[in-house]
Amino acid sequence: MIQYVHMFSEGDRDQKDLLGGKGANLAEMVKLGLPVPPGFTITTDACRAYLSEGQVPPEVRVEVTQRLRDVEDLIGRQLGDYEEPLLLSVRSGAKFSMPGMMDTVLNVGLNDDSVEALARFASDERFAWDSYRRLIQMFGKTVLDIDGELFSAIMDRAEEAAGARTEVGLDAEDLKQVVAEFKELVLKETGSPFPQTPRKQVDMAIEAVFRSWNTERARLYRRRERIPDDLGTAVNVQAMVFGNLGETSGTGVCFTRDPSSGHSGVYGDYLPNAQGEDVVAGIRNTLALADLEGRDETVYRELRTAMRRLETHYRDLCDIEFTVERGKLWMLQTRVGKRTAGAAFRVATQLVDEDLITMDEALERVNGEQLTQLLFPQFDRDADRTLVAVGMGASPGAAVGEVVFDNASAEARKAEGASVILVRRETSPDDLPGMIAAAGVLTARGGKTSHAAVVARGMGKCAVVGAEDLKVDVTAKEIRVGEHVVRQGDTLAIDGKTGEVFLGDVHVVDSPVMTYISEGIEAGEAAAEDSETKELVQAVHRLLTHADSRRRLRVRANADTGEDAQRARDRGAEGIGLCRTEHQFLGERRQQIERVVLAETDEERETALAELLPAQTQDFVSLLTAMDGLPTTIRLIDPPLHEFLPDLTDLTVKVALAEERGESGPEVDRARELRDAVRSMHEANPMLGLRGVRLGLKIPELFELQIRAIAEAVVRLRKDGKDPQPEIMVPLIGSNRELVIVRDQAERIIAEVAEANGESMDLPIGCMIELPRAALTANRIAQTAEFFSFGTNDLTQTTWGFSRDDVETAFFPRYLENGVLTISPFETLDALGVGELVRIGVEKGRSTQPDLKAGICGEHGGDPESIHFFHNAGLDYVSCSPFRVPVARLEAGRAVALTESGSSI
Ligand code: PEP
Ligand code: MG
């Protein structure tokens, strides 16, 4: 038979699934012999049964009766007793903390008779009546569903009548009157009197807590925090103890270490003669915990001992709620405390130094999100700020600068020493120079994998995208937002983490952890402004070094230039997993590609290609130099053709205007020809059209140029005594045959270059797996590919049928709201769908080639949760933006520690 109700003394902290976090920790404290008011926990099983059946299982009532009697025996008071009544608290407690989301009812058990008994027992009439009115108010609101405002209005009137500023000013007589009015209100609103039977109150409160699992705000909170809806909450029923029985009583909260610095010490607040809610409500100023020593040394000592025991036992920073009732300490709650990112790293290493945890455990206690927070420069939270819009934080960081709308202005102002924010409705590869020059990028359209977002993340540059309130007029060079007009040259500040856009300057502070990551431990220590920060830099260094020693996944970077590659290498990248070569065909070179594509004769095309070869070879020379000795995956050109051609609308307008004005001549003819050519190549869904290997097969000269440039770069570097390790990667493969053709072509060119230079050259040729068909036929593709790299951006796009540039602003907000998605699948890998294809791809690929090297180079390569997935799927490496390399190193190490200890991320 299922047991639905457990005394605190029966459980322990490992039973959070069944007892909820609060219940499990209360049980653990009882086990430790700490003074916990007696009570019991009704399990999440009971809640789930309630949620599916619509009623509390009948066994619960029976078990509650038995456990209630145990509690009465333990404390020596009885529910509803006329002399020393037992009062109960009934609180929710789910597996994951959901602060303030669900219901709590205190003082359960009071009625018209026991209130008098309480007054006598406590020798305090006011206290008793105040407790009773609190019960009716809380019970009325949460159990009986009466509008809380109606209770507040009665309180307000009472305060006014008594000439009191707050409820503290009401005396026993006033409160009796309030209770009478509250009871009338209950009768009027529900048609029944306030329940006088204590046991009935208990049962109703339990049911109300179960019910509160599914309130609108609780559901919303769970969606945001990605807590599953089917967990249910436990209910903790516990004997009340009172901190408001005079000056020898009180209530407080404390931490075993400072949650912001991590240092050991006495941290907390204490409020004499008060109940828990009073501390939260902030009606009176609290005392520092240390002041308790002067008020009651015995209690203080006892509390310090309990804090030490808890920390030693949990081997972590704990937070604690306690109450002192007439000189007796009671522990009401404990849990492993929340902390800042910096404290997480410091506490973890402090605990290692105190021999409380191992380095592996320390690694489990920190995460990539926290490390990311430590890497970004941040706005000074205390600064004055004017918020004008909120978009999506697409690439964290803080940037302040002059608004510019185009590349030329961005570059010119940057050259003059200004910091600029590039503002566009959306960005395209054409905007790259402006993005490079800018301190931050702001767009009104696009989602987290829009061009602006991906490129900015790649550069470690702050970006806010999809700030739809901004009316960006690039021609007029102004933004309208609400009542404000922001013109070119005006200052904006953007927060790439929160997506906030501020008017004017906001002070920015730099991160010493970032200095450590890119320049080493000594530079990081030197950049720290105080000893605490220095300790933080050292903690990050120790944990990251440990992660490196533990991880199986290699970490590479996505980088397109020698400069980016060097930056990635400085941050610990062990190779390049993706060089998007199309980024090398921007600016002036775009026109050369345009000529290749639009060439009418072979000769024209050859000339254009011949001009590109030296430049492209130089690109690879600089990339391979930065990555000397390390694998460098160079992807052949991928994007849709139209990205290299002039804009169709511009051309159409140009021709139409010329015709209207009756202009003619070679220039107009040329424009007309160009328009026709571009029109003939126009595609409705370019991302599903002529791109990737398809482009390579249609215009083989493009791939040929790139392969030749790679081979020649190898020759050149080898002559200089270097050790280039390029790997040639073919994008968007859907069929093995496509790869066979490109591989034959590549081998022929490589052999030609090698022979001409008296070299031998065997460059690995592999492909991206970024279409479902590629994953499903990976056993065939592995007959030809020497490596796989999963392109999870396209794989997500094609598996879901989501256009990656459009959907995030179009309907994702709605999908997140109604729970179809818990997070964008472009941000965290959709393990069930896209992840399954990755698994299938790896498995099938290795069924043909057992040692097949497989990596991932989509945006997910830098996402903590996804990295754990890739570790478990048996990939060899992840490749992410240079900025995220340290995060990936840390998470890849954590994946090993967590898997070995059987914990989850
Ligand atoms: C991908 O599709 O995951 C990928 C890395 O390629 P791109 O983002 O350039 O399409
Ligand atoms: Mg792709």
Side-chain angles (χ1 to χ4, degrees):
M1 206 183 84
I2 290 190
Q3 182 187 346
Y4 284 121
V5 185
H6 297 249
M7 288 299 280
F8 292 158
S9 52
E10 291 178 277
D12 64 49
R13 66 169 163 168
D14 294 328
Q15 290 178 294
K16 291 201 177 69
D17 284 330
L18 186 69
L19 305 177
K22 187 194 279 276
N25 286 324
L26 280 167
E28 193 72 17
M29 286 203 288
V30 171
K31 230 171 84 178
L32 285 177
L34 294 174
V36 175
F40 52 83
T41 304
I42 306 166
T43 64
T44 54
D45 280 343
C47 181
R48 284 190 294 269
Y50 169 80
L51 294 174
S52 68
E53 311 284 315
Q55 61 172 34
V56 179
E59 297 89 337
V60 169
R61 282 174 154 262
V62 176
E63 290 181 46
V64 165
T65 306
Q66 292 169 316
R67 301 287 91 83
L68 259 178
R69 295 203 175 152
D70 292 342
V71 171
E72 288 173 339
D73 291 348
L74 279 168
I75 202 154
R77 294 180 202 163
Q78 286 187 11
L79 199 61
D81 190 75
Y82 295 132
E83 282 175 20
E84 280 191 29
L86 165 68
L87 303 188
L88 298 168
S89 65
V90 179
R91 299 176 201 259
S92 60
K95 177 178 181 186
F96 301 106
S97 137
M98 293 171 56
M101 288 300 128
M102 287 181 297
D103 290 339
T104 287
V105 190
L106 304 180
N107 304 335
V108 172
L110 274 179
N111 57 20
D112 294 353
D113 296 323
S114 59
V115 67
E116 306 278 4
L118 183 67
R120 281 193 304 275
F121 161 69
S123 319
D124 188 341
E125 210 183 2
R126 184 195 180 280
F127 157 74
W129 285 95
D130 189 41
S131 303
Y132 196 20
R133 76 90 196 156
R134 285 182 199 237
L135 167 66
I136 306 175
Q137 189 165 1
M138 261 192 248
F139 194 96
K141 210 173 113 186
T142 60
V143 183
L144 304 173
D145 228 4
I146 300 171
D147 182 357
E149 289 299 316
L150 300 173
F151 290 104
S152 305
I154 294 173
M155 283 298 281
D156 289 347
R157 277 203 303 278
E159 281 162 22
E160 207 176 310
R165 240 176 4 100
T166 67
E167 61 202 49
V168 182
L170 300 179
D171 64 19
E173 288 310 310
D174 299 329
L175 289 162
K176 275 184 196 170
Q177 181 58 34
V178 168
V179 164
E181 288 183 39
F182 275 9
K183 287 199 298 185
E184 265 171 46
L185 178 67
V186 169
L187 183 60
K188 189 166 142 249
E189 291 292 315
T190 65
S192 313
F194 177 75
Q196 289 291 314
T197 321
R199 178 54 201 269
K200 188 163 182 209
Q201 293 174 6
V202 175
D203 290 340
M204 289 174 80
I206 291 171
E207 187 172 340
V209 173
F210 282 153
R211 209 166 45 226
S212 68
W213 174 256
N214 267 339
T215 57
E216 195 47 40
R217 66 178 177 172
R219 284 164 174 273
L220 225 119
Y221 180 87
R222 287 200 292 275
R223 231 167 281 145
R224 226 185 35 222
E225 298 294 315
R226 304 180 68 205
I227 299 173
D229 269 335
D230 55 7
L231 294 181
T233 180
V235 182
N236 298 294
V237 179
Q238 189 175 23
M240 289 285 299
V241 288
F242 295 96
N244 50 350
L245 285 176
E247 286 306 305
T248 56
S249 303
T251 190
V253 288
C254 59
F255 299 91
T256 57
R257 278 161 205 261
D258 182 342
S260 65
S261 76
H263 286 145
S264 253
V266 190
Y267 296 92
D269 298 313
Y270 182 70
L271 196 54
N273 195 12
Q275 268 194 308
E277 310 104 86
D278 302 333
V279 181
V280 184
I283 300 171
R284 284 186 280 151
N285 286 338
T286 54
L287 304 177
L289 188 62
D291 295 335
L292 179 59
E293 188 172 13
R295 300 179 69 92
D296 191 333
E297 205 187 325
T298 319
V299 164
Y300 178 76
R301 287 243 187 85
E302 207 186 331
L303 178 64
R304 289 297 307 267
T305 309
M307 285 166 75
R308 199 178 129 93
R309 287 209 57 188
L310 281 172
E311 181 164 288
T312 311
H313 185 69
Y314 279 81
R315 302 183 304 137
D316 206 342
L317 181 162
C318 296
D319 73 29
I320 294 161
E321 286 177 23
F322 66 94
T323 279
V324 182
E325 187 185 84
R326 290 185 174 149
K328 161 113 185 81
L329 174 70
W330 291 102
M331 307 291 281
L332 297 188
Q333 173 170 318
T334 191
R335 62 182 171 196
V336 168
K338 297 234 181 322
R339 62 204 76 179
T340 62
F345 279 85
R346 277 193 298 252
V347 170
T349 48
Q350 284 161 10
L351 293 173
V352 170
D353 293 341
E354 292 167 29
D355 293 317
L356 277 170
I357 60 174
T358 63
M359 273 306 267
D360 261 17
E361 285 170 317
L363 203 49
E364 293 181 27
R365 306 270 179 97
V366 295
N367 63 48
E369 273 319 310
Q370 290 161 337
L371 181 57
T372 308
Q373 278 179 33
L374 299 175
L375 293 178
F376 285 114
Q378 285 148 4
F379 281 130
D380 190 348
R381 292 268 136 202
D382 300 331
D384 276 346
R385 309 179 301 174
T386 314
L387 182 70
V388 287
V390 181
M392 263 181 266
S395 176
V400 183
E402 282 179 18
V403 170
V404 291
F405 295 91
D406 55 70
N407 292 336
S409 316
E411 288 177 319
R413 290 298 294 140
K414 169 85 191 295
E416 287 161 20
S419 165
V420 298
I421 306 282
L422 179 71
V423 183
R424 306 283 300 166
R425 279 197 60 215
E426 59 207 330
T427 64
S428 77
D430 279 348
D431 296 316
L432 201 68
M435 294 179 74
I436 291 169
V441 180
L442 171 63
T443 69
R445 287 205 51 205
K448 282 199 175 146
T449 45
S450 62
H451 178 268
V454 172
V455 176
R457 268 202 296 279
M459 297 194 280
K461 191 155 287 190
C462 163
V464 172
V465 299
E468 301 200 337
D469 289 343
L470 304 180
K471 305 281 168 276
V472 177
D473 187 338
V474 176
T475 328
K477 294 195 189 307
E478 64 176 38
I479 312 165
R480 288 181 181 273
V481 50
E483 69 206 43
H484 306 280
V485 182
V486 181
R487 302 209 164 77
Q488 177 137 326
D490 292 353
T491 302
L492 278 185
I494 59 174
D495 187 327
K497 185 155 171 280
T498 61
E500 291 165 309
V501 181
F502 304 101
L503 217 53
D505 201 352
V506 181
H507 185 238
V508 173
V509 279
D510 229 350
S511 144
V513 175
M514 188 70 228
T515 312
Y516 149 64
I517 295 287
S518 38
E519 294 171 39
I521 182 66
E522 277 167 24
E525 284 174 342
E529 64 272 18
D530 52 35
S531 60
E532 223 162 69
T533 316
K534 187 166 166 188
E535 193 196 339
L536 170 62
V537 170
Q538 288 161 341
V540 173
H541 172 60
R542 286 173 63 187
L543 286 164
L544 203 51
T545 312
H546 183 67
D548 284 339
S549 74
R550 296 289 281 139
R551 67 189 156 88
R552 183 184 58 73
L553 279 174
R554 310 254 98 198
V555 176
R556 299 196 192 181
N558 293 357
D560 309 326
T561 62
E563 212 180 19
D564 275 358
Q566 187 59 53
R567 195 173 307 141
R569 191 170 190 158
D570 292 343
R571 291 173 189 172
E574 296 157 304
I576 296 296
L578 173 64
C579 162
R580 290 180 165 103
T581 53
E582 56 270 18
H583 291 166
Q584 294 156 352
F585 293 129
L586 301 168
E588 278 174 17
R589 290 197 217 162
R590 212 203 70 168
Q591 262 125 37
Q592 285 167 308
I593 292 281
E594 185 183 313
R595 276 168 48 210
V596 173
V597 174
L598 297 175
E600 281 171 0
T601 63
D602 287 351
E603 209 186 335
E604 253 183 67
R605 179 166 288 167
E606 268 161 31
T607 321
L609 285 163
E611 280 172 19
L612 274 169
L613 183 63
Q616 178 83 115
T617 308
Q618 185 51 48
D619 294 332
F620 297 142
V621 165
S622 88
L623 187 74
L624 292 165
T625 304
M627 277 291 139
D628 192 40
L630 296 178
T632 307
T633 307
I634 300 175
R635 183 177 72 183
L636 303 179
I637 195 162
D638 176 36
L641 199 54
H642 76 104
E643 287 193 13
F644 298 105
L645 300 177
D647 185 71
L648 182 59
T649 321
D650 289 351
L651 286 170
T652 312
V653 170
K654 193 169 165 188
V655 173
L657 278 177
E659 285 173 353
E660 201 178 297
R661 293 184 193 129
E663 291 167 3
S664 61
E667 207 184 311
V668 178
D669 291 344
R670 173 80 191 132
R672 202 175 283 125
E673 273 168 37
L674 205 54
R675 179 202 60 189
D676 294 343
V678 172
R679 190 181 278 156
S680 75
M681 289 175 192
H682 181 76
E683 293 177 297
N685 291 309
M687 287 299 263
L688 300 178
L690 184 58
R691 54 171 287 218
V693 68
R694 304 161 192 174
L695 187 59
L697 296 188
K698 183 155 160 79
I699 311 178
E701 296 87 345
L702 274 177
F703 277 11
E704 172 160 356
L705 157 82
Q706 296 195 293
I707 296 163
R708 192 174 296 282
I710 295 169
E712 294 199 344
V714 170
V715 170
R716 215 194 288 172
L717 287 166
R718 282 191 187 164
K719 285 206 175 107
D720 289 347
K722 296 235 164 12
D723 177 25
Q725 300 283 342
E727 304 173 330
I728 297 174
M729 180 155 76
V730 188
L732 217 72
I733 287 293
S735 144
N736 182 41
R737 182 73 199 145
E738 290 169 321
L739 188 60
V740 168
I741 301 172
V742 178
R743 183 170 169 168
D744 287 349
Q745 175 196 29
E747 282 175 346
R748 179 180 48 77
I749 298 162
I750 294 165
E752 252 173 56
V753 176
E755 203 183 293
N757 291 280
E759 290 269 348
S760 78
M761 213 187 285
D762 182 19
L763 307 183
I765 299 166
C767 69
M768 309 254 326
I769 301 290
E770 50 185 343
L771 295 175
R773 192 177 193 283
L776 297 171
T777 60
N779 49 328
R780 296 170 62 84
I781 296 175
Q783 290 165 4
T784 314
E786 285 171 86
F787 62 89
F788 279 179
S789 179
F790 287 87
T792 45
N793 300 336
D794 273 309
L795 197 57
T796 300
Q797 162 163 275
T798 50
T799 300
W800 278 92
F802 284 158
S803 162
R804 58 199 258 201
D805 289 329
D806 302 313
V807 289
E808 289 195 72
T809 44
F811 61 85
F812 271 20
R814 175 54 63 87
Y815 266 41
L816 290 165
E817 216 173 276
N818 58 24
V820 179
L821 298 174
T822 53
I823 193 165
S824 163
F826 289 108
E827 205 174 322
T828 293
L829 190 81
D830 155 36
L832 290 178
V834 181
E836 193 55 26
L837 283 169
V838 172
R839 277 216 182 87
I840 292 171
V842 176
E843 198 183 305
K844 289 203 157 198
R846 289 192 180 146
S847 71
T848 304
Q849 232 190 96
D851 296 332
L852 181 74
K853 190 168 64 175
I856 122 97
C857 63
E859 284 298 292
H860 306 90
D863 171 67
E865 196 176 316
S866 312
I867 292 169
H868 291 243
F869 177 91
F870 299 133
H871 169 78
N872 291 319
L875 293 190
D876 298 302
Y877 68 87
V878 295
S879 187
C880 57
S881 66
F883 182 78
R884 294 198 73 83
V885 165
V887 173
R889 287 164 54 199
L890 186 77
E891 289 293 350
R894 293 187 70 228
V896 176
L898 287 163
T899 311
E900 285 183 9
S901 72
S903 326
S904 55
I905 178 174

